[in-house]
Amino acid sequence: TYYKWPSWIPKIGIVSVTLPVSVFDRELKSYAGYDKGRVPFVVDIKAFFRITDSNLAAQRVSSFGELMEQLDGILQGAIRTILASVDIEEILEGRGKFGDMFTKEVDDQLKSWGVSTVKNIELMD
């Protein structure tokens, strides 16, 4: 039997962070981006993640909601970096190529959070 004593109780209290062991997704809908020529457009991105190192992830965040916010920030940064370096025509023609580029861009950052991508990040619309 396991008792979860509140952290405010001296010596026996613990702090716990509950994280999922299953695959979860993040979806950025209607994210405003710019291409190389500063042409504005709206993009939808979907990414699938799983926690690979639960101890590291629990040290970095205090809740699963906070982890989701951090993942959104990482995705937004990758989108800005990659899409701002190409023209809109190339973006429209090569959705599959950009999925690979997004995944490679975020993989290094995700390792420091104890998270990994399950499959390529998808450029939906």
Side-chain angles (χ1 to χ4, degrees):
T1 305
Y2 173 74
Y3 293 102
K4 181 179 164 187
W5 299 97
S7 61
W8 53 267
I9 297 176
K11 296 190 183 191
I12 61 170
I14 60 168
V15 175
S16 66
V17 178
T18 305
L19 300 170
V21 293
S22 62
V23 174
F24 56 94
D25 68 330
R26 290 306 302 154
E27 191 167 3
L28 296 178
K29 288 206 171 259
S30 302
Y31 182 74
Y34 294 94
D35 76 340
K36 187 176 184 178
R38 303 288 296 159
V39 175
F41 60 90
V42 177
V43 66
D44 294 338
I45 302 286
K46 188 161 193 158
F48 296 92
F49 302 101
R50 69 181 166 90
I51 296 175
T52 54
D53 186 350
S54 57
N55 291 334
L56 179 60
Q59 289 173 358
R60 297 290 305 251
V61 296
S62 61
S63 68
F64 184 61
E66 184 182 347
L67 178 63
M68 298 302 257
E69 290 175 17
Q70 297 298 331
L71 291 176
D72 285 348
I74 291 170
L75 284 174
Q76 290 171 358
I79 292 167
R80 278 192 306 269
T81 302
I82 293 171
L83 296 182
S85 64
V86 294
D87 291 322
I88 188 75
E89 292 85 16
E90 189 177 344
I91 294 169
L92 295 173
E93 292 172 359
R95 286 179 26 181
K97 176 180 83 168
F98 289 103
D100 292 336
M101 292 171 68
F102 289 144
T103 303
K104 289 175 186 170
E105 181 75 24
V106 300
D107 272 342
D108 292 335
Q109 296 176 34
L110 292 177
K111 287 178 187 172
S112 65
W113 290 92
V115 178
S116 68
T117 55
V118 175
K119 64 179 208 168
N120 283 347
I121 296 171
E122 298 177 22
L123 179 60
M124 303 300 280
D125 285 328

